[in-house]
Structure formats: structure tokens, C-alpha cells
Amino acid sequence: MASYAVTTITTSGDLNTHIELFLIDATNGSINCHLPTITTDGNSYFFKRTDSNILSTVTLTADKGNTINNNATHNITLNDGIRIVSYDTNYIIL
């Protein structure tokens, strides 16, 4: 069974490339997570929104020149979880 480096995010900022599982808690306000620049194919990250604040948004933002499913950003809705994998200049949502 795989083991993952895990962290909880409660504020906006750049994501650490050494973490694989991000638990995002937007209880205290909206959060913008800036994805790392894609340097190699196959990097995988998991995101799980853990709060229930309907007034907050959680947004993943791709670095300049990169995309998320061919878009600059992707919102994670309440109770949603996603996995992304880097390929070329695009993060693909699985």
C-alpha cells in the first residue's frame, strides 16, 4: 500500500512539490493554490476539500505556460477531491 506525504492548507500560496496529498480547509476564507511549474511528466498530486463553507472558493492555478485540463484554473467544490498528473505543459485531472 502506498504512503503519501500529506499537508493541510488553510491559506493561499505556492504548493510544495514534495507533498502528494493536500487537504484544503477554506473554513476561514477562499484559497488559491498555485501549482508548481511542470518540469517532468507523471508528477501526481491529490487534492481534497475538507471544509463546508459555501461562501469560500478553492482554486488551483497553473503556473504561467502550464494549464489544468487546458485551462488556467480549476475550482474544487465542497467535498470534492481530485487527482492531477503532469503531462507536457498540462495537468490532467483524473
Side-chain angles (χ1 to χ4, degrees):
M1 181 168 225
S3 127
Y4 298 99
V6 179
T7 193
T8 299
I9 295 174
T10 57
T11 60
S12 295
D14 295 338
L15 298 180
N16 183 328
T17 59
H18 301 291
I19 305 294
E20 295 130 329
L21 174 57
F22 297 92
L23 303 175
I24 305 172
D25 182 352
T27 299
N28 295 321
S30 296
I31 296 175
N32 183 10
C33 300
H34 187 255
L35 297 174
T37 301
I38 296 173
T39 57
T40 187
D41 293 343
N43 288 334
S44 177
Y45 305 100
F46 296 89
F47 299 90
K48 173 63 179 166
R49 186 163 174 185
T50 61
D51 67 278
S52 59
N53 185 349
I54 62 171
L55 300 177
S56 294
T57 59
V58 171
T59 304
L60 300 180
T61 302
D63 197 35
K64 186 175 183 178
N66 294 159
T67 57
I68 307 164
N69 273 11
N70 298 311
N71 296 296
T73 63
H74 178 77
N75 288 338
I76 300 177
T77 57
L78 291 176
N79 299 312
D80 197 14
I82 65 167
R83 178 181 180 193
I84 61 172
V85 177
S86 62
Y87 180 73
D88 195 26
T89 60
N90 189 37
Y91 282 105
I92 299 166
I93 297 174
L94 303 179

